[in-house]
Amino acid sequence: MKYQELVDIYSALEATTKRLEKTSIIAEYLKKLDEDTIGKVGLLLRGGVFPAWSSEEIGIGTKLVERAVAEAVGTTQSKVEDAVRDNGDIGLACIELYSKKSQTTFFSQPLTIDFVFKSLQKLSKITGSKSTNRKISILLELLSQASASEAKYLTRTITEELRIGVGDGVVRDGIAQAFNIDKKIVERAQMLTNDFSVVARTALLEGEEGLSKLNLTPGTPVKPMLAQLSPPVAEIIPEMGTAICETKYDGIRLQVHRNGDEINIFTRRLENITHALPEIVDLFNEHLPHEDYIVEGEVIATRDGKPLPFQNILHRVRRKYNVEEAMENVPLKLFLFDVLYYEIPMIDNPLIERRQTLEEIVDTSVDEMNLSTMIIATQDNIPEVEELFETSISAQHEGIMIKDASQPYIPGIRGKKMLKYKAEPETLDMIIVGGTYGIGKRGDFIGSYLVALRDENDDFKTVAYAATGLDDATLEYLTGKMKEIEISTKGREIVVEPKIVLEIAFSEIVESPEYETGYSLRFPVVKNIRKDKGPGDVDTVERLLSMYESR
Ligand code: AMP
């Protein structure tokens, strides 16, 4: 199959903005292709030569392409650069430059799709010394035989900017139309394989039935299911019916695949980072059965059992050298939360069943290997969800995830079935005006602090009780300080002079007649005692109201 034919299709696709027209152009073309070519075209239509799941890339910089174009048309690199600047695009620059081409290649053969595809794949594999010369020679072989329009799309493909206005959806619809297959089936096949070459070839050879059989393959990463921000817990839990609520860890999401004896670890962008995390590979080898599986979890960095900021884990994952040294400095901890495949695909099973499988297959007897902390929630135990949020935040995690227990795993979707509920990054500085002593063993400590904001007359108006976020030593310290500024105590309630400023984080502002401001905070967490601040620095009620309005 000639590359020129595909180039004519590219031109036709570029010439229309109408989606239906684009779909028909693709469908008509696909029908003419044989099984080998259709796989390649499936990828080339999206401007690449590797499937979406692959982390391989052509990897050629613009400068190198410009140098090859210069040699192919017999001009200088600076002339090519000028043309790219004038046209704003390397492809259009090629049309101009090829029309003035002085060199002609004798005995040149027309480019075929097969040759172009294989040459572009070869480019990604060239590394090491003299790699530039070898890359140039491959580029030249292509560009010196190319027509002007072929050069236009070749250079755009190499620089990974095809600009024909064709996304996944149009290719999907094109395949569906070409072979008379339900769009939903093509969509699902693409979602599970992330590979248009497989989808297009299967559609041609086996039709709808073959496509329906395509599924996850351990070893080939899938796009992770994503989370939306959650509405208030009290609203969403009854809506879901039964929810699985889990601690949200602030680390990196891992998708771990076992395929035979091989373990591979991928990021949420489907990058293979197995080499950077040898101890995680060992953990999976030792604490999960030696069956084929795909599981997901979050990995965090720890020190003395406490989570370290996100940057630490990022450094681990990005590291190419001295991995051993990093392993010692940044110990990792895993929290698994889903299983997509265990001996067979599992994504269509409800989350609650997948979680059960996970519990059966993971041995959590070592400190590093854990399942996410979770509770099953219905409208009857919402306070437990709030408690989970508070304990998660106090343990310096990010918040909680709220997942519909009845739902399948849908790769790549950011839907309403998986939600995140984080402590608002925004904080307000508030002043302590009172508090409540604890009970039992904690009877000597003030465990809950009545905090207030400043109104326009510089009076303090209460807004919440904050009871989370402080360790015992700090509670003791604050209790001591409050006794020094005590105005009165009645039962367990103490009233103090407004002197101590706390920085408070919270998940949302809600209306509440119980407090003097008429508002309150959900999940208030004490972030810091602001010893550097006094009553005049306390945030205003006005600020609270404007935050409430702009939420
Ligand atoms: P965000 O990155 O803020 O969109 O939040 C979603 C991310 O939270 C996921 O992609 C995971 O990386 C991470 N995460 C942490 N803990 C969990 C958990 N228990 N379940 C699902 N995702 C989690």
Side-chain angles (χ1 to χ4, degrees), residues 426-428 509 539-548:
E426 207 132 20
T427 60
L428 285 172
I509 301 165
D539 275 308
T540 57
V541 175
E542 196 189 343
R543 171 128 198 266
L544 178 83
L545 291 183
S546 80
M547 284 167 83
Y548 179 75

Side-chain angles (χ1 to χ4, degrees), residues 121-133:
Q121 280 204 333
K122 225 192 282 173
L123 282 171
S124 82
K125 307 225 158 39
I126 299 175
T127 51
S129 66
K130 303 218 182 104
S131 65
T132 306
N133 287 344

Side-chain angles (χ1 to χ4, degrees), residues 225-227 246-253 268 298 337 372 398 401 403 414 418 420 422:
M225 183 166 172
L226 301 170
E246 303 172 25
T247 296
K248 183 179 194 303
Y249 303 92
D250 187 15
I252 285 183
R253 184 170 187 162
R268 61 189 285 167
E298 191 87 352
F337 52 75
S372 59
E398 241 189 334
M401 303 292 295
K403 306 175 184 178
R414 195 185 286 284
M418 172 158 144
K420 52 186 172 187
K422 297 199 231 183

